[in-house]
Amino acid sequence: MRALLSLLFVLFVVALPAQADTLLQAYHWQEEGTDRRLLLTPDGTFQLDYGPDAAKARYLMGRYRTDSTGRALTLSVDYFLGKSRLHPRYRDGQDFHLVYDIIKVTEHRLVLLDVATDDLQAFLASPLLKEDDPARRRVPKPQIKDWELPEGWGG
């Protein structure tokens, strides 16, 4: 009986946060009512895409972590990346830390509570495409047609 209780405790402590992390990383999260999309990658980085019409920088990037219970999500952003996008209330020392309580996470919906402002943010899941990976995103190369090397350059 004691062994069964120990096993259940270990499963509860280890498996539930792992399930939440897996769900967080499996989808691209589209914030309801906005163009913002949140992407959490398995390597602990995140990307918040403000959309192509963003007045400031389009992408906010940094690192994220969940607490041991899987109930809190912290987004950490370098000062120089976040100073034009984030409110000073999130500044902690030289960096910015956005702390959220995870209210609900399923394969369809993610609801976060901003600890600093008590605002709820709801996200809907959309399929994760390989083009969404920040490491694969590249600026398109210019297409030059009929380009010739100047004389003496091997052309």
Side-chain angles (χ1 to χ4, degrees):
M1 181 66 171
R2 206 175 267 192
L4 179 61
L5 288 176
S6 298
L7 178 64
L8 288 175
F9 177 75
V10 168
L11 287 175
F12 180 74
V13 170
V14 174
L16 289 181
Q19 180 185 11
D21 277 354
T22 303
L23 282 173
L24 289 173
Q25 298 167 4
Y27 301 101
H28 211 142
W29 298 100
Q30 174 78 37
E31 187 173 5
E32 292 178 352
T34 70
D35 289 335
R36 295 182 356 161
R37 294 179 355 138
L38 177 64
L39 176 66
L40 303 169
T41 62
D43 65 354
T45 61
F46 80 90
Q47 165 186 293
L48 187 59
D49 181 356
Y50 286 88
D53 299 330
K56 298 179 182 178
R58 177 174 177 172
Y59 298 100
L60 180 66
M61 295 182 279
R63 300 202 49 84
Y64 80 92
R65 72 180 188 287
T66 56
D67 69 347
S68 61
T69 64
R71 299 279 185 213
L73 172 70
T74 303
L75 304 179
S76 301
V77 180
D78 180 78
Y79 171 76
F80 294 104
L81 293 175
K83 69 180 179 176
S84 66
R85 180 62 78 179
L86 298 174
H87 193 278
R89 75 174 142 251
Y90 297 111
R91 189 167 175 197
D92 181 20
Q94 189 63 23
D95 297 325
F96 293 94
H97 299 280
L98 293 83
V99 180
Y100 298 96
D101 285 334
I102 300 173
I103 304 300
K104 178 180 182 180
V105 59
T106 67
E107 61 273 1
H108 303 292
R109 195 153 194 248
L110 170 65
V111 180
L112 301 174
L113 175 69
D114 188 331
V115 172
T117 62
D118 286 335
D119 291 336
L120 282 176
Q121 294 179 348
F123 296 86
L124 296 175
S126 61
L128 194 59
L129 306 172
K130 68 179 180 180
E131 297 86 30
D132 292 333
D133 185 354
R136 295 178 184 255
R137 186 178 58 242
R138 300 282 186 262
V139 175
K141 293 181 182 179
Q143 299 295 324
I144 301 174
K145 295 183 180 185
D146 301 326
W147 188 71
E148 295 179 14
L149 289 174
E151 201 170 307
W153 284 63

